[in-house]
Amino acid sequence: MKIDPKKPADLSVQIAQSIRDAIISGRLIVDERLPSEAELSDQFQVSRPTVREALKRLAAQSLIRTQRGATGGAFVNRLSYQDAYSQQITTSTLLLSMNAVSFETACEARYSLERACATLSAERRTADHLATMRAEIFRQAQPGLTDEAFCASDVTFHRALVDGAGNPVLSYQLAGAVEAMQPLMNMITFTARSREEIIVLHNQIADALDRRDAAAVDSALVDLEAYTRKLALDVAKQRRKPTE
Amino acid sequence: MKIDPKKPADLSVQIAQSIRDAIISGRLIVDERLPSEAELSDQFQVSRPTVREALKRLAAQSLIRTQRGATGGAFVNRLSYQDAYSQQITTSTLLLSMNAVSFETACEARYSLERACATLSAERRTADHLATMRAEIFRQAQPGLTDEAFCASDVTFHRALVDGAGNPVLSYQLAGAVEAMQPLMNMITFTARSREEIIVLHNQIADALDRRDAAAVDSALVDLEAYTRKLALDVAKQRRKPTE
DNA sequence: GACTTTTAAATGTCAGACAAATGAAATTTT
DNA sequence: AAAATTTCATTTGTCTGACATTTAAAAGTC
């Protein structure tokens, strides 16, 4: 492993890139220990702080983990679905909040993807997935639930629907779309009336999944999307005329 | 901004978390300049190298950018779709390669998502998207094209299809699914015969999009998925009996 | 006024040191 | 001999202080 000492970017960027390439290409395999920081600074002919900055960059992406002590060091990390989920969620959330993505755009993306899962979920969902969904519907019907708690339950419900497809890659992709919507959803005030409507639709979805009726799931999701967009539109209207 | 000097994790992790929270919560807004490294080390009561490690973590996630010079410093970065794409692709690629995701699982996820876009794309695709797809089909028919170049063209084709939906959030979500498949696709040897088949299906997709026939696009995508899985299966068979 | 030079501020890098954690080896105790 | 304890070497985490490099603005020059 060597780097170009003069040409383009900062040294720590180059070193991070070099190690990243080694991991992606498979020259460094999972759980393999990297040379110690002292050895790396020798190899790359840079100081230890520079090596450390490079390692911190990789750690921030969950590509390595570090451990102190005699047998410690930096190890190539197996990127778990959990790690990937949370990175995906952070990125998606920031992307939406920093780029002023409209509610309509985010909502459309989310429900399009979710409907893609629904067909598979109707086929493969287990009793467990259904039980989770029923439990969340029950929770959503509780009086005195805060809007945040209602939203959180909504996310759990939809994740169960997605997980029912039995495809972890799909679940990972959807995690971002569903969870990144949450800050936007939290701006909605859910009245008792609108909660009722949503629960009706949730029940339709659960019932349809129960009898493995993909078309009915899809149709209920379309209705749910339409209703969600209507709610958001009402909020926007209220904001424009706050006195009325 | 303060940190707990004794409790849980490393200082640079705490500092990074503290600044990250400030960005996500909106206390630091886009293009705002952070205090200089010297000022931050004063504020957090840590040394400059520690502050720098924290900043490098944030830079690795594209949350900040740094600039040298008199008016330089660290600035809150607007997470562009481009940045989000590339992070998404890196994460998805690693997730697939490190967790031995089967070709079937990845393929199913990809085509499920892609079909979700196709309906919207049939409605909204512009002449530009169609032109890109036709151009890529033409390229794919060129003799002497390497397998890698064929795959790359395939990715461009499918991205045009996805972009046709006119929803940047969808495009972002799909980027990971489509591009992360490429290393897996590269393991397939595309014979002249199989390229012909794929081009036929690509043409079906382009034609269907041309006349805005969502059902026909969907059907062609289903066929393409089935054919892709068949090709992968053949490769796997060949590997098991290399002498036959 | 336009151009050049200087200067100050900021990040990037380096060197050397100490602190803290940690597992393994060496030692002592039972 | 086995178990518990201590020592010890290794490695990451952090600090201090310094120098190099970049950059834009201020000062100076024609």
Side-chain angles (χ1 to χ4, degrees):
Chain A
M1 282 197 281
K2 267 158 207 164
I3 54 172
D4 187 336
K6 36 186 80 72
K7 272 296 147 63
D10 297 335
L11 292 175
S12 73
V13 175
Q14 289 184 58
I15 293 168
Q17 190 59 53
S18 168
I19 298 175
R20 195 196 330 273
D21 287 348
I23 294 175
I24 290 176
S25 73
R27 290 201 301 285
L28 288 171
I29 60 171
V30 167
D31 291 335
E32 187 171 339
R33 183 179 172 283
L34 271 66
S36 75
E37 294 175 357
E39 286 171 316
L40 285 173
S41 33
D42 271 356
Q43 283 183 30
F44 287 116
Q45 289 287 302
V46 297
S47 69
R48 220 188 113 205
T50 303
V51 167
R52 282 182 61 82
E53 287 182 9
L55 294 180
K56 295 315 153 201
R57 288 177 191 274
L58 300 176
Q61 297 179 301
S62 306
L63 267 89
I64 62 169
R65 61 179 185 280
T66 58
Q67 198 182 340
R68 280 163 70 148
T71 58
F75 298 84
V76 177
N77 202 21
R78 154 161 280 125
L79 187 67
S80 67
Y81 280 101
Q82 196 49 57
D83 289 336
Y85 280 167
S86 52
Q87 283 186 227
Q88 166 85 347
I89 290 166
T90 307
T91 306
S92 299
T93 306
L94 275 169
L95 186 66
L96 261 55
S97 71
M98 282 186 170
N99 290 276
V101 172
S102 74
F103 190 88
E104 282 72 28
T105 305
C107 200
E108 175 179 280
R110 173 189 160 163
Y111 278 99
S112 295
L113 298 177
E114 207 166 321
R115 285 168 58 198
C117 295
T119 319
L120 293 171
S121 200
E123 238 178 80
R124 305 187 192 153
R125 98 286 180 289
T126 65
D128 252 18
H129 297 124
L130 263 181
T132 303
M133 294 169 75
R134 301 280 191 203
E136 294 303 328
I137 293 176
F138 179 77
R139 185 192 316 249
Q140 288 157 21
Q142 298 303 308
L145 206 65
T146 66
D147 279 352
E148 280 73 20
F150 185 79
C151 276
S153 169
D154 187 67
V155 167
T156 308
F157 175 88
H158 284 279
R159 288 195 64 154
L161 167 64
V162 170
D163 289 343
N167 184 318
V169 177
L170 263 182
S171 295
Y172 150 71
Q173 297 281 357
L174 262 287
V178 174
E179 305 233 3
M181 283 282 296
Q182 212 171 354
L184 296 177
M185 296 288 285
N186 276 335
M187 301 192 322
I188 298 178
T189 312
F190 292 99
T191 62
R193 182 79 193 82
S194 62
R195 291 191 189 187
E196 267 175 46
E197 289 269 6
I198 290 172
I199 289 171
V200 166
L201 289 168
H202 280 179
N203 267 315
Q204 281 181 22
I205 293 171
D207 290 345
L209 275 180
D210 203 342
R211 46 179 212 277
R212 304 194 183 278
D213 182 346
V217 177
D218 192 70
S219 147
L221 279 172
V222 170
D223 293 345
L224 187 54
E225 179 182 354
Y227 187 67
T228 306
R229 290 166 87 153
K230 179 180 167 302
L231 282 181
L233 214 63
D234 289 347
V235 171
K237 266 186 205 151
Q238 291 269 324
R239 291 260 163 88
R240 271 200 298 276
K241 318 178 188 176
T243 50
E244 283 188 17
Chain B
M1 278 197 283
K2 269 159 207 163
I3 53 173
D4 186 338
K6 37 187 77 76
K7 271 296 147 67
D10 297 337
L11 292 176
S12 73
V13 175
Q14 289 184 58
I15 293 168
Q17 189 58 53
S18 168
I19 298 176
R20 197 197 328 274
D21 288 347
I23 295 175
I24 291 176
S25 73
R27 289 200 303 284
L28 289 170
I29 60 170
V30 167
D31 292 335
E32 186 171 339
R33 184 179 171 285
L34 271 67
S36 74
E37 294 175 356
E39 287 171 315
L40 285 173
S41 32
D42 271 358
Q43 283 183 30
F44 288 115
Q45 290 287 303
V46 298
S47 69
R48 194 158 80 96
T50 303
V51 167
R52 281 182 61 80
E53 287 181 10
L55 294 180
K56 295 314 153 200
R57 288 177 192 273
L58 300 175
Q61 296 180 301
S62 306
L63 270 97
I64 61 170
R65 61 178 185 279
T66 58
Q67 199 181 339
R68 282 163 68 148
T71 59
F75 298 83
V76 178
N77 202 23
R78 155 160 280 122
L79 187 66
S80 68
Y81 281 101
Q82 196 49 58
D83 290 337
Y85 280 168
S86 53
Q87 283 185 228
Q88 167 85 344
I89 291 166
T90 307
T91 305
S92 299
T93 306
L94 274 169
L95 186 65
L96 260 56
S97 72
M98 282 184 169
N99 290 276
V101 172
S102 73
F103 191 88
E104 283 71 28
T105 304
C107 201
E108 175 180 279
R110 172 190 160 164
Y111 278 98
S112 295
L113 299 177
E114 208 166 321
R115 284 167 59 198
C117 295
T119 319
L120 294 170
S121 200
E123 240 178 78
R124 304 185 192 156
R125 96 289 179 289
T126 66
D128 252 19
H129 296 124
L130 263 180
T132 302
M133 294 170 76
R134 301 281 193 201
E136 293 302 328
I137 293 175
F138 179 78
R139 186 194 312 252
Q140 288 158 18
Q142 298 302 305
L145 205 65
T146 64
D147 279 353
E148 279 75 19
F150 184 80
C151 277
S153 169
D154 186 67
V155 168
T156 308
F157 175 88
H158 284 279
R159 289 196 62 155
L161 166 63
V162 169
D163 289 343
N167 186 317
V169 177
L170 263 182
S171 295
Y172 149 72
Q173 297 281 356
L174 262 287
V178 175
E179 304 234 2
M181 282 284 296
Q182 212 172 356
L184 296 176
M185 296 289 284
N186 275 333
M187 301 193 324
I188 297 178
T189 312
F190 292 99
T191 62
R193 183 77 193 82
S194 62
R195 291 192 189 184
E196 268 174 47
E197 289 268 8
I198 290 172
I199 289 171
V200 166
L201 289 167
H202 282 179
N203 266 315
Q204 281 182 22
I205 293 171
D207 291 346
L209 276 181
D210 202 342
R211 47 177 211 277
R212 304 194 181 279
D213 182 345
V217 177
D218 192 70
S219 145
L221 278 173
V222 170
D223 291 346
L224 188 54
E225 179 182 353
Y227 188 68
T228 307
R229 290 166 87 152
K230 179 179 165 304
L231 282 181
L233 215 64
D234 289 348
V235 171
K237 266 186 203 152
Q238 290 268 323
R239 293 260 163 87
R240 271 201 297 278
K241 319 177 187 176
T243 49
E244 283 188 16

